[in-house]
Amino acid sequence: AQLSSAFDSMWTLNYPTPTLRSGESILQGLPEGLARWQYAGLLHIAPFMRNFHLASALEIGRGIPADPNASLPLFLEVAAAPEAVVLAAGLQSDGKRLFDFYKPVYESTQTAAMFRAGQLLKRAGYEDEASGWLARAASRGHALAELELLLSRGAVKPTPNVAAKDGHFKSHFRAGLMSHIHMESLGLPPALQFLLLNQDVSEPFDACMRNHQESRIPVWQKEHTMEGTEYNLMEAYRFRSWWHSAMVCWLDEGQRQIANNVVAS
């Protein structure tokens, strides 16, 4: 015990606890100029991005003990944060340019926070509050949020129209059942399962994903040629490329695509 006490005193003497300063106080201590402008631009965005990632970690226990009750207020704080145009007011020079560069990241983070807050509230039984946040995320193009709302209203019902392994034809019953079990085994939420393999819901996004790929493949082929490699359309990395296209279409054009499909049905 004496050794431990002596060691603690020596450690404190050699390595004192650092004094933490707020981002605002650091900003005030910077002289007028480039560094101050850039710091101001980041200070308008970074805290919200930090809180979103902390909330995500708390919800599932990634690196820290899980605590969904602590994650919800963080998600709500990010979801209810000012719009980017409000945060950008008053920024100068390189601070404004830096803010504009990260603006899409901030806006996507805010939409994601609306969706995640809606999910947590729904699980806790607060249906009205959940619907409000899901509707706000859906209004910004979040396909999963729109699908969650449609599922809760009964506007979209589970169907056996699961895509077969070729991706186009309908699977046979046993194969469709196995696909469902595989997705459940991976822990995929029901709404995401619809977007991935249910033909009634997923196929309306096909054109968007195809256009996204077609507009970029020539660029990727050129980039690979410059690196001395071939961009092979049959390689497995193409799955990861298609996944990127899917996320763009689900999150930027999701609401319109799903709404059109429901009306058509």
Side-chain angles (χ1 to χ4, degrees), residues 6-229:
F7 178 79
D8 289 345
S9 299
M10 184 170 58
W11 178 270
T12 303
L13 179 64
N14 293 329
Y15 304 101
T17 303
T19 302
L20 298 179
R21 297 172 60 195
S22 69
E24 196 62 41
S25 68
I26 294 174
L27 177 64
Q28 297 306 319
L30 292 173
E32 190 68 25
L34 184 64
R36 182 185 178 98
W37 299 333
Q38 290 181 338
Y39 193 88
L42 289 175
L43 190 59
H44 281 63
I45 295 177
F48 297 112
M49 295 173 63
R50 173 203 63 204
N51 286 349
F52 175 79
H53 289 294
L54 177 58
S56 297
L58 281 167
E59 182 185 358
I60 64 175
R62 185 172 58 241
I64 51 179
D67 189 348
N69 291 330
S71 71
L72 178 58
L74 291 171
F75 279 135
L76 289 172
E77 180 185 346
V78 178
E83 296 291 328
V85 65
V86 176
L87 290 179
L91 293 176
Q92 303 178 54
S93 184
D94 270 28
K96 178 67 165 59
R97 282 194 288 272
L98 194 61
F99 180 89
D100 289 342
F101 181 78
Y102 285 103
K103 177 183 172 183
V105 180
Y106 172 75
E107 291 175 332
S108 294
T109 300
Q110 192 170 34
T111 304
M114 294 173 183
F115 174 66
R116 298 286 287 277
Q119 281 186 312
L120 282 172
L121 287 165
K122 186 175 181 180
R123 281 184 225 146
Y126 299 99
E127 293 290 339
D128 291 341
E129 293 90 338
S131 295
W133 285 113
L134 290 172
R136 286 188 63 177
S139 70
R140 295 160 70 109
H142 199 296
L144 279 175
E146 178 68 10
L147 193 49
E148 289 274 11
L149 290 169
L150 293 172
L151 285 168
S152 65
R153 297 170 190 153
V156 173
K157 300 189 185 317
T159 68
N161 296 333
V162 176
K165 292 181 178 65
D166 74 315
H168 179 68
F169 291 118
K170 177 183 173 181
S171 68
H172 296 296
F173 176 76
R174 190 182 78 112
L177 183 60
M178 282 298 297
S179 295
H180 175 71
I181 292 171
H182 286 158
M183 290 190 289
E184 286 290 329
S185 179
L186 291 170
L188 300 181
L192 183 56
Q193 294 183 26
F194 270 94
L195 280 175
L196 285 171
L197 288 184
N198 187 284
Q199 291 173 304
D200 297 330
V201 175
S202 63
E203 286 186 353
F205 295 92
D206 288 358
C208 173
M209 288 187 277
R210 184 173 60 251
N211 291 337
H212 189 263
Q213 285 284 312
E214 287 177 346
S215 66
R216 287 160 177 79
I217 284 178
V219 176
W220 297 332
Q221 289 174 326
K222 183 178 180 180
E223 290 173 345
H224 276 247
T225 299
M226 292 172 63
E227 294 294 328
T229 61

Side-chain angles (χ1 to χ4, degrees), residues 213 220 231 235-247:
Q213 285 284 312
W220 297 332
Y231 190 67
E235 287 291 342
Y237 54 67
R238 293 285 300 132
F239 166 77
R240 294 185 286 275
S241 178
W242 276 101
W243 181 255
H244 277 289
S245 296
M247 288 193 293

